[in-house]
Amino acid sequence: MIPRLALLALVSAVSSVAIAQPATPLIHTPSGLELSSPDHTLRIEALRDDVLRVRIFPLGHPPEDASWAVLPQALNSRIPVTPEPTGFATPALRVTVSPDLQLTVSDLSGNVLQQDAAPVLWEDTGFRVAKRLPLNDHFFGLGDKPGPLDRIGQSFVMWNTDAFGFQESTDPIYKSIPWFIEMHDGRAMGVLFDNTFRTSFDFGHQRTDRFTFSAPSGPLVYYLVFGPDPKHVVETYAWLTGPTPLPPLWALGYQQSRYSYYPQTKVEEIAARLRADHIPSDVIWLDIDYQLKNRPFTVDTQAFPDFPGMIHKLAAEHFHTVVITDLHIANLPNQNYAPYDSGVAGDHFVKQNGKDYVGPVWPGPSVFPDFTRKVTRDWWGTLYKQFTDMGVAGFWNDMNEPAVFTYPSKTMPDDVTHRIEEPGRPSRLAMHPEIHNIFGMENSRATMDGQLALRPNTRPFVMTRASYAGGQRYSTTWTGDNSSTWNHLRQTTPQLLNLGLSGFAMAGADVGGFAGSPSPTLLTRWLMLAAFQPIDRDHAAKGTRDHEPWVDGPQQEDIRRRYIEQRYRLLPYLYTTAEATSHTGLPIVRPLFLEFPHATADLHPLDQDAPGEFLLGHSLLIADSPSPEEVAPYEVHLPPGLWYDLWTGEKLDRRLATTTRDLEIRDAPPPALKPLMVTPGPADLPIYVRGGTILPVAPLVQSTDEKPSGPLTLRVYPGQDCEGSIYQDDGNTFDFRQGAYLRQHFTCTLAPDGSVTVSIGPREGSFTPWWTQIQIEVLGLTTPPPKATAVGQAMPLQHTPLGWTTTIPDTTQPQTIRFE
């Protein structure tokens, strides 16, 4: 008898040999090629110069030309290519294939960007794609999988899972985003493996000479996205799957939540305390206890006797209310529960053995909408009418992995069926393993579409826990049920950075940790850090101690308030960054390598040296400690260039290292820079501003509804390519699409004599902003300027703790101001 391991090896070898048999002649197509073995066909198409779609399928059985992740316009895009004997070329890439269907992709300079390590392995359990893994490769993405920012040496499974209390080694968790970026020698290649089944990824975990991705079933379809710059890869991923839309302005404010604020008097008490303590804030969240017996789309009128009145009162106090609406509908026939009754009437629930599937969740036995049907998504959207009529501002789709309490898997059984009835794709039945990973995304899609149908000119706000690639088009997200530990505070940064690289620019983590009770110091540190992340939501579980900013006395509250106030002062910059994200797809929080891919001599990502650091937009570097529970000094690794301390204005010259352009034209690597050593106090978080930044800053407000009183401040940090911009609109509607916005660009130049000239560019758009004056504050001047002039006239000049400032009227026209 052949030993089992030997038999498996023999089967594997036979499978490999099967696809390695002689292929049919290569067929060139207008946009790529096709090559077949006796059993399979390889088809490669160039969607753009820098984007390839690769499909391998059984001979004569191509997969559906459809995707839940990729936008139709990208899916249907094609460019002409130049045929070559063993492949083809685009203006950016060269593609070659071997007779056994192995693929090599290079740039036009001959650098191999990606190369198959073996023919595709086909087994009864699915298929596996193996790629060569060069030394010094680095991998990023896969959404908010726990662990280090760099995925090298790890393996992962994509299966949306209710992972309460997950830890750094937990996998899988809530989302499945099969997208990653491979970095090698400063060149970036992105891969989207567009398969919705339980896919797996191995980045040199089992074998150090290859990385793999595999699936038990479904199509073998993946997209290759070339940089070489990683920012270009991320922007192109947004072209493929869509960028994060521009959120309402209030979504960038501070948000207070708990499981649960209950009853109505408690909600009103929290709102009143936020205002009484002058803690800027915009959002109150309501978890499931506002509902009657946890039934979605109901209100417990005993605990909330005047729910509409409460919503209106909160709105009058400038709070937006977000309420949870889980996707499980209580199974309540003949009990006048409208979501169930209308769902049954429209046949909107998923099936098992021909009947509506029933599984226990928070309301007890529940049924689940079949979100792969457009008609069901449309019906789901109508359920929100009563809440939108009350003035509820946003909605929270939790438990949508989907979570079910009965089984060890904590989700639906595999024999649940879904009906795909979607415009643009064939109608058919699908079993749950195919739909599981997109179920939460389609839930959030239905919620967003419902909001747009009910309030067509109001930007929707939807928060989802589970999603798939492309889900950023429909909702924001958070990292799920984290814990109140220092380790989870550290974990927040790589999770949010990888989410941003995976399309979800609007994301956050439960501030303070959901499970457990943070110490006063931990809660303070978390509130400090979260002030510089896209979504700043303080949230806690039942049975934990209070998390609100005031809970640990005046001293801790003062620190927490200070950082929330700083967030509000920076809202012009944050909102401008979010608006740019809605076009480019570049994340709001960014790893260092995204902006500085050539910052190190050997081109390893600088983030490896600085695990607590990240960028907020293009210009702000937040340098948290890699061990924030420690009081010891730690290293700050600033990228090459000129930097300024945000708090003091101190100028830090890091220009000993060469720029990216210099690196490209000289053979010698840049000289190494010693890191800074910092010892922050308990109220200090080091933050640095990139030289060459013009940072827009607003007067402090208590909510985004409040009109700032005073001038817009342009804080000028002189340096190379000095510029900045501001974007404004009404913060709530889509009127900006008709031109009701303001966009303005600023530049500055530093002359050899030390004088600084600041130029205010022309306005774009018809929106009138809140300011009538502009205060210009210049930092880093080596000698005090004797005067400031605007339009040839001397202007009053004052010294501030950061620099020299003058205030000018905003004439709405281009202006030039000179400090000399």
Side-chain angles (χ1 to χ4, degrees):
M1 180 178 292
I2 301 176
R4 182 174 181 273
L5 288 177
L7 180 61
L8 287 175
L10 178 61
V11 170
S12 175
V14 169
S15 300
S16 298
V17 169
I19 199 170
Q21 295 180 32
T24 60
L26 186 149
I27 300 172
H28 288 103
T29 67
S31 58
L33 63 81
E34 186 173 294
L35 182 64
S36 295
S37 73
D39 299 313
H40 294 85
T41 296
L42 166 68
R43 185 177 294 168
I44 307 175
E45 297 160 304
L47 309 189
R48 294 190 345 184
D49 295 352
D50 49 6
V51 180
L52 305 174
R53 180 169 70 159
V54 180
R55 294 189 288 174
I56 303 178
F57 49 87
L59 196 67
H61 298 280
E64 290 180 359
D65 197 6
S67 173
W68 298 101
V70 178
L71 294 169
Q73 57 267 35
L75 196 67
N76 296 321
S77 176
R78 301 288 186 277
I79 64 159
V81 300
T82 302
E84 296 185 345
T86 57
F88 65 86
T90 77
L93 298 170
R94 174 161 284 107
V95 176
T96 60
V97 294
S98 63
D100 57 357
L101 310 189
Q102 291 194 67
L103 171 65
T104 300
V105 180
S106 308
D107 64 20
L108 298 187
S109 298
N111 298 301
V112 174
L113 304 171
Q114 194 176 96
Q115 188 172 29
D116 287 352
V120 172
L121 180 62
W122 299 89
E123 302 175 301
D124 291 341
T125 56
F127 59 84
R128 178 178 290 109
V129 177
K131 303 283 185 178
R132 293 189 180 183
L133 179 58
L135 294 175
N136 303 320
D137 256 24
H138 305 274
F139 296 88
F140 306 93
L142 301 187
D144 53 355
K145 295 285 191 182
L149 179 69
D150 190 348
R151 306 302 193 185
I152 188 67
Q154 302 174 79
S155 56
F156 303 92
V157 172
M158 296 292 166
W159 187 251
N160 293 354
T161 302
D162 180 0
F164 172 81
F166 68 88
Q167 297 303 318
E168 197 167 16
S169 59
T170 303
D171 184 67
I173 61 170
Y174 304 96
K175 280 172 280 293
S176 296
I177 307 177
W179 157 260
F180 62 88
I181 301 170
E182 178 186 6
M183 288 286 294
H184 180 74
D185 288 342
R187 289 183 290 272
M189 174 74 88
V191 178
L192 172 62
F193 179 30
D194 195 7
N195 180 299
T196 63
F197 286 78
R198 189 184 181 109
T199 55
S200 298
F201 296 79
D202 185 311
F203 299 109
H205 184 192
Q206 290 190 349
R207 290 186 56 167
T208 59
D209 63 340
R210 63 181 57 185
F211 68 92
T212 66
F213 47 94
S214 59
S217 188
L220 201 175
V221 179
Y222 63 96
Y223 297 80
L224 298 177
V225 177
F226 177 51
D229 183 271
K231 286 176 74 171
H232 183 74
V233 170
V234 174
E235 289 177 305
T236 305
Y237 179 68
W239 174 82
L240 267 180
T241 65
T244 295
L246 179 64
L249 176 61
W250 57 262
L252 297 172
Y254 175 70
Q255 309 183 28
Q256 192 65 55
S257 182
R258 185 172 182 84
Y259 174 32
S260 288
Y261 287 135
Y262 172 94
Q264 180 173 329
T265 52
K266 183 65 174 180
V267 178
E268 294 170 345
E269 173 193 325
I270 293 294
R273 182 67 183 268
L274 286 165
R275 291 290 177 247
D277 284 20
H278 300 288
I279 297 170
S281 44
D282 268 86
V283 189
I284 301 286
W285 290 65
L286 299 182
D287 212 315
I288 60 176
D289 287 323
Y290 80 89
Q291 301 168 140
L292 177 63
K293 299 181 180 179
N294 297 332
R295 298 168 183 170
F297 302 101
T298 67
V299 172
D300 180 352
T301 56
Q302 293 285 328
F304 292 83
D306 185 11
F307 193 83
M310 181 191 73
I311 299 298
H312 292 148
K313 181 180 179 182
L314 291 172
E317 296 168 352
H318 305 296
F319 286 105
H320 298 80
T321 309
V322 176
V323 304
I324 201 166
T325 53
D326 290 338
L327 52 71
H328 41 255
I329 299 297
N331 185 42
L332 296 174
N334 305 314
Q335 295 190 43
N336 295 318
Y337 177 42
Y340 176 84
D341 293 341
S342 61
V344 168
D347 192 22
H348 290 305
F349 301 125
V350 300
K351 307 297 181 186
Q352 186 182 43
N353 299 321
K355 298 179 180 180
D356 290 345
Y357 166 73
V358 180
V361 206
W362 293 121
S366 302
V367 290
F368 299 80
D370 198 347
F371 291 112
T372 54
R373 305 173 71 225
K374 183 181 185 303
V375 65
T376 296
R377 295 198 304 272
D378 292 344
W379 159 79
W380 174 263
T382 67
L383 300 180
Y384 288 93
K385 187 176 188 308
Q386 61 171 330
F387 288 132
T388 57
D389 288 348
M390 293 176 194
V392 173
F395 298 96
W396 176 15
N397 293 155
D398 200 0
M399 306 294 290
N400 56 357
E401 289 73 32
V404 181
F405 292 161
T406 298
Y407 317 100
S409 67
K410 297 192 288 187
T411 193
M412 293 177 181
D414 288 353
D415 63 349
V416 167
T417 57
H418 304 257
R419 292 158 288 171
I420 297 176
E421 297 172 7
E422 179 75 14
R425 37 188 330 147
S427 296
R428 59 180 176 87
L429 295 180
M431 305 306 291
H432 186 69
E434 178 182 356
I435 302 304
H436 178 87
N437 283 339
I438 65 163
F439 199 74
M441 177 175 78
E442 294 303 292
N443 170 213
S444 62
R445 178 185 185 183
T447 303
M448 185 204 71
D449 287 347
Q451 298 312 297
L452 291 172
L454 292 165
R455 297 184 288 205
N457 198 34
T458 299
R459 286 176 235 169
F461 180 84
V462 181
M463 173 80 86
T464 188
R465 191 168 74 176
S467 200
Y468 181 72
Q472 69 274 2
R473 302 191 295 262
Y474 311 125
S475 67
T476 64
T477 193
W478 89 109
T479 59
D481 295 340
N482 61 358
S483 299
S484 297
T485 66
W486 289 101
N487 192 45
H488 272 245
L489 173 59
R490 285 193 298 271
Q491 182 64 60
T492 294
T493 292
Q495 283 190 285
L496 294 183
L497 292 177
N498 272 320
L499 270 173
L501 294 174
S502 305
F504 281 88
M506 279 294 289
D510 287 345
V511 175
F514 180 72
S517 297
S519 68
T521 304
L522 174 58
L523 180 57
T524 295
R525 295 299 302 182
W526 213 318
L527 283 162
M528 291 164 60
L529 186 66
F532 305 97
Q533 294 170 345
I535 293 177
D536 187 4
R537 182 182 76 147
D538 183 336
H539 186 52
K542 280 186 176 181
T544 64
R545 80 180 190 93
D546 289 347
H547 271 208
E548 293 77 27
W550 54 80
V551 296
D552 297 306
Q555 183 176 3
Q556 297 291 344
E557 184 181 12
D558 287 347
I559 298 170
R560 298 164 184 173
R561 182 192 297 107
R562 173 189 164 208
Y563 280 86
I564 295 171
E565 288 177 344
Q566 185 64 32
R567 179 183 183 89
Y568 275 75
R569 291 189 176 98
L570 290 172
L571 275 178
Y573 172 74
L574 186 55
Y575 192 57
T576 300
T577 301
E579 195 273 337
T581 293
S582 72
H583 299 290
T584 66
L586 292 174
I588 295 172
V589 290
R590 307 172 186 181
L592 304 184
F593 80 84
L594 195 68
E595 291 284 344
F596 301 96
H598 301 98
T600 60
D602 63 358
L603 299 180
H604 75 269
L606 184 58
D607 307 82
Q608 287 190 328
D609 307 324
E613 297 180 27
F614 63 92
L615 293 158
L616 176 59
H618 172 271
S619 300
L620 298 184
L621 188 151
I622 289 77
D624 195 20
S625 169
S627 300
E629 69 273 31
E630 301 290 343
V631 295
Y634 64 91
E635 295 180 350
V636 171
H637 293 259
L638 292 178
L642 194 64
W643 294 87
Y644 295 78
D645 187 300
L646 176 73
W647 309 110
T648 67
E650 179 188 2
K651 183 162 57 175
L652 304 164
D653 193 341
R654 310 291 290 172
R655 290 176 294 183
L656 291 176
T658 181
T659 64
T660 298
R661 185 180 185 286
D662 293 334
L663 185 65
E664 293 171 347
I665 63 176
R666 53 180 280 181
D667 296 329
L673 283 170
K674 290 184 178 180
L676 304 177
M677 292 299 298
V678 298
T679 311
D684 300 329
L685 176 61
I687 300 177
Y688 303 93
V689 186
R690 197 172 182 172
T693 294
I694 300 180
L695 188 68
V697 181
L700 181 63
V701 293
Q702 293 301 302
S703 81
T704 59
D705 285 350
E706 181 182 341
K707 180 180 178 180
S709 177
L712 169 71
T713 296
L714 299 180
R715 198 162 288 162
V716 180
Y717 299 86
Q720 187 176 10
D721 302 323
C722 183
E723 62 178 355
S725 62
I726 190 168
Y727 173 86
Q728 294 275 292
D729 58 28
D730 65 20
N732 192 52
T733 74
F734 293 105
D735 289 354
F736 64 86
R737 293 175 176 171
Q738 282 72 50
Y741 66 88
L742 167 76
R743 192 189 311 278
Q744 202 161 14
H745 193 68
F746 319 108
T747 60
C748 80
T749 56
L750 178 63
D753 63 3
S755 64
V756 173
T757 301
V758 179
S759 297
I760 299 174
R763 287 185 174 186
E764 299 177 26
S766 61
F767 182 75
T768 301
W770 46 265
W771 64 85
T772 59
Q773 293 181 308
I774 299 176
Q775 177 177 286
I776 302 170
E777 187 172 28
V778 180
L779 285 73
L781 295 177
T782 55
T783 57
K787 64 179 179 178
T789 58
V791 199
Q793 297 182 352
M795 303 297 297
L797 194 63
Q798 294 181 325
H799 190 257
T800 72
L802 295 180
W804 292 89
T805 181
T806 189
T807 302
I808 62 172
D810 185 1
T811 65
T812 76
Q813 300 299 314
Q815 298 190 67
T816 299
I817 303 90
R818 185 175 176 86
F819 292 74
E820 58 184 349

